[in-house]
Amino acid sequence: MNFEELKAKIESELGDLGAEVSGREPNVIDIKVDKEKIVEAAKRLKSMGFDHVKAVTAVDFPKERFEVIYHASSYSDLELAYFIVNLRTSLPYDDPKMPTLLEVWPSVLYQEQEEYDLMGIFFEGHPRMERLLLPETYEGIPPLRKEFKVKTEGINV
C-alpha cells in the first residue's frame, strides 16, 4: 500500500466522524478529530491494523488551547509499520480534559500519565491520574507548559 492509498482508506473509514485527514509524504498521516470522537477514531484505526502508540505528545498554545497527539503505527502489519498516523484533538485551555485511549491502545498507560503530570491534561477514565515523574508534593504550573518559569535564586528568568 502506498501513501495515497492509505490516506484515502483512512479518509473513507473516518469520514463520518468529521475527521480532517492530511499528510506528509512519504509516511506521515495526520488526522484531526473532536475529542468526543477520538475514542471511535482510535478504535477504527486499530481495526485497520494500527495496533500500538509509539508516543503521546501535547502542544501548548498559551491561553488558547492544547493539542494532544497520539503517534500510532503497527507491529503486526509490516506494510503499515512504515507509516506513522498522528491522531490529534484540541482541548480548551481552561479545561484540558479528554477520554483516555487506554482501552484501545494499552501502550498509552504511562504516556497519558506523563502528559497529566507534566502538562496538566486530564484523561477521563485513566486509572492512574497521579504523579509519575514529579514529586507528590509538587504544586504549581505543570512544568512543560509555556507559562512555567524556572525559579532561580537571585535571578528573574
Side-chain angles (χ1 to χ4, degrees):
M1 180 176 312
N2 69 34
F3 175 83
E4 289 300 329
E5 290 170 340
L6 181 58
K7 185 174 172 270
K9 184 176 179 182
I10 290 172
E11 286 173 332
S12 173
E13 289 288 325
L14 303 181
D16 65 320
L17 299 178
E20 298 172 26
V21 181
S22 60
R24 297 182 304 275
E25 289 196 55
N27 68 331
V28 178
I29 296 177
D30 289 303
I31 305 161
K32 184 165 186 171
V33 296
D34 291 337
K35 73 176 183 175
E36 295 81 15
K37 298 177 181 174
I38 197 162
V39 174
E40 181 60 28
K43 287 178 180 177
R44 291 182 191 184
L45 288 170
K46 185 171 184 178
S47 73
M48 293 175 66
F50 293 98
D51 55 23
H52 77 283
V53 169
K54 292 179 173 285
V56 178
T57 57
V59 180
D60 177 358
F61 296 89
K63 307 293 183 224
E64 182 185 330
R65 64 187 163 92
F66 290 98
E67 192 164 279
V68 178
I69 306 139
Y70 292 82
H71 308 274
S73 191
S74 181
Y75 283 134
S76 58
D77 185 330
L78 294 179
E79 192 174 29
L80 291 178
Y82 173 69
F83 296 97
I84 302 291
V85 171
N86 296 326
L87 179 61
R88 58 181 69 225
T89 194
S90 291
L91 305 175
Y93 201 79
D94 61 346
D95 190 25
K97 294 179 186 172
M98 66 173 288
T100 181
L101 295 186
L102 184 60
E103 70 178 61
V104 180
W105 289 308
S107 60
V108 306
L109 178 68
Y110 292 107
Q111 297 176 69
E112 286 182 344
Q113 189 178 359
E114 179 183 30
E115 293 304 325
Y116 167 73
D117 197 17
L118 301 177
M119 290 289 282
I121 295 170
F122 188 86
F123 295 88
E124 296 166 325
H126 193 289
R128 294 186 183 170
M129 286 291 92
E130 58 197 32
R131 296 277 180 226
L132 178 66
L133 300 170
L134 295 174
E136 289 295 325
T137 57
Y138 180 83
E139 293 180 9
I141 297 168
L144 291 185
R145 288 191 180 184
K146 291 182 179 174
E147 64 185 305
F148 177 80
K149 301 291 183 215
V150 176
K151 293 179 181 175
T152 306
E153 190 175 325
I155 300 173
N156 290 329
V157 178

